[in-house]
Amino acid sequence: MKKKFQFPNSNFQTYGKYIIGLFLILLFGLVIFQQYSSSLFFQKKDRVNVVFYGKNTVYYSLGKYDGVHYFISFYPDVKVKVPGGYGNYRVGGLGKLVVLEKKSDLFRKTFSVTTASTVDRYFYTASTDIYYGKEEMDEDSLSFPSFKDIFFSTSNSNVFDRTFVFFQFLGKRVRQFSEIDYKSLLGTDEEFFQDKDFAKKYQGFLYNRIYRKEKKTVQIQYEKSYKTALFISKIIEGDGIRTVDLSDTNFIKGTCEVIEDAETFSQTAKDISGFFGCNLKRGSPASSDILMKLGSVEKEWEIL
């Protein structure tokens, strides 16, 4: 009988281990590269907005290049609008809502609506604790997030984002941060909301120069809720992007779309698409440079 040819077991196993090891190293390297390239280090916005949620909830708007930084301190009893049809919630109860609903992105959406700006990253400790009180942090009592807050809190940040945020606070002093005060804009029921007075008072504070430089205009089409479309437009305008029209239509289905007539999409279009999770498409908007069809985003960001 002829013997069947067989690879030497030892050599075959050794080569197999090398190949598998090399594949895993390449895969790991690819994941690291993707996380690094999508991190805040490569974000083209010149302002980075982060929220640290807890007993003392603070929103920071960090100027990457101009050295101009702002903060807003939210005390637990102040009320905010929560997108997604949740209505108004006390800031101190928002964390419990997030845990029970298992929707941590509510932090990003809520504070984006509240501050009329795009919140990039949020940090929190997953807990059903409810906070109470009317004490807020001002320039005299403000303290920066600790190493533990940045690197060990639950967040939508990867390790490179956390490192970026850490270096943004490293070596800075509290007096380098200016407070944005909202107390004069509270309603009788102490609800903090974005109205024309707030927009007028703080217009331009949180602008991103790249959008102002591109000078793109945006039209927003919605199906049912003008109020939701209006708040989305305020977020966009708060970043420095001009909204020229809000119009209703019955023909918006499926996912959100950001449409622009350009061979290369503008940074404005790409950032709107990325923040709201919309598909980028080429087309010819009739009354603006960019057309945003809300689609499913209208329900996700619904304001009651």
Side-chain angles (χ1 to χ4, degrees):
M1 292 179 62
K2 291 184 178 180
K3 293 184 179 180
K4 292 183 179 180
F5 175 78
Q6 293 181 335
F7 287 104
N9 287 338
S10 59
N11 290 340
F12 183 74
Q13 291 175 355
T14 300
Y15 291 142
K17 289 178 181 179
Y18 282 145
I19 293 172
I20 293 173
L22 180 61
F23 174 77
L24 292 176
I25 290 172
L26 291 174
L27 182 62
F28 178 74
L30 179 62
V31 171
I32 293 297
F33 175 77
Q34 288 178 333
Q35 289 201 350
Y36 181 55
S37 60
S38 64
S39 72
L40 296 174
F41 282 103
F42 287 90
Q43 188 179 74
K44 293 188 176 181
K45 289 171 55 180
D46 46 73
R47 302 205 69 81
V48 173
N49 304 319
V50 298
V51 171
F52 286 84
Y53 177 84
K55 185 176 182 181
N56 297 308
T57 298
V58 184
Y59 162 101
Y60 297 94
S61 184
L62 308 167
K64 293 173 65 176
Y65 310 116
D66 59 9
V68 178
H69 315 295
Y70 300 101
F71 78 93
I72 305 176
S73 173
F74 295 95
Y75 60 81
D77 284 352
V78 71
K79 293 180 181 178
V80 293
K81 291 179 172 63
V82 181
Y86 291 97
N88 301 323
Y89 261 79
R90 293 171 52 261
V91 168
L94 182 59
K96 182 174 182 178
L97 174 67
V98 164
V99 172
L100 294 179
E101 293 292 312
K102 298 180 180 179
K103 294 181 179 180
S104 62
D105 199 46
L106 286 177
F107 285 123
R108 182 178 68 97
K109 293 176 179 176
T110 298
F111 288 104
S112 292
V113 166
T114 303
T115 61
S117 66
T118 52
V119 170
D120 301 292
R121 301 292 184 268
Y122 52 83
F123 300 80
Y124 71 104
T125 300
S127 170
T128 56
D129 290 343
I130 299 177
Y131 306 110
Y132 298 92
K134 298 182 182 296
E135 295 183 6
E136 60 179 332
M137 302 175 72
D138 55 24
E139 293 180 0
D140 296 324
S141 59
L142 179 68
S143 60
F144 292 149
S146 65
F147 182 90
K148 180 181 179 181
D149 293 331
I150 296 173
F151 284 97
F152 294 98
S153 295
T154 305
S155 175
N156 63 335
S157 305
N158 61 36
V159 65
F160 299 109
D161 293 327
R162 295 174 190 266
T163 302
F164 176 90
V165 172
F166 175 76
F167 280 112
Q168 288 298 305
F169 288 104
L170 187 65
K172 288 186 173 62
R173 298 185 178 183
V174 171
R175 65 171 178 264
Q176 293 177 263
F177 286 71
S178 299
E179 181 180 12
I180 293 180
D181 183 17
Y182 60 86
K183 292 187 292 296
S184 62
L185 302 174
L186 292 176
T188 55
D189 62 348
E190 296 189 277
E191 177 185 344
F192 174 54
F193 55 92
Q194 287 303 309
D195 59 13
K196 61 181 180 180
D197 294 328
F198 181 91
K200 182 179 180 180
K201 184 175 182 179
Y202 294 111
Q203 186 175 18
F205 277 53
L206 306 176
Y207 277 178
N208 283 274
R209 290 174 297 177
I210 187 170
Y211 306 141
R212 303 297 287 176
K213 185 177 180 180
E214 289 188 338
K215 296 181 180 179
K216 298 294 184 179
T217 58
V218 178
Q219 177 192 12
I220 297 177
Q221 289 184 348
Y222 63 94
E223 185 178 2
K224 296 179 180 178
S225 175
Y226 170 81
K227 187 176 182 180
T228 299
L230 180 62
F231 272 88
I232 288 176
S233 75
K234 290 190 179 216
I235 295 173
I236 292 173
E237 290 181 337
D239 265 16
I241 304 168
R242 185 182 171 205
T243 304
V244 295
D245 181 59
L246 304 177
S247 57
D248 62 324
T249 174
N250 294 323
F251 300 101
I252 302 177
K253 304 297 180 183
T255 58
C256 171
E257 294 180 348
V258 172
I259 302 169
E260 184 178 27
D261 187 7
E263 290 186 9
T264 302
F265 291 114
S266 65
Q267 194 63 44
T268 302
K270 288 190 287 188
D271 286 353
I272 292 175
S273 168
F275 183 78
F276 290 100
C278 305
N279 294 327
L280 270 174
K281 293 185 65 177
R282 291 182 174 84
S284 300
S287 58
S288 62
D289 298 312
I290 298 169
L291 172 61
M292 182 181 185
K293 295 183 177 181
L294 293 185
S296 58
V297 163
E298 184 176 339
K299 182 65 176 177
E300 295 167 10
W301 288 78
E302 182 183 8
I303 299 294
L304 296 181

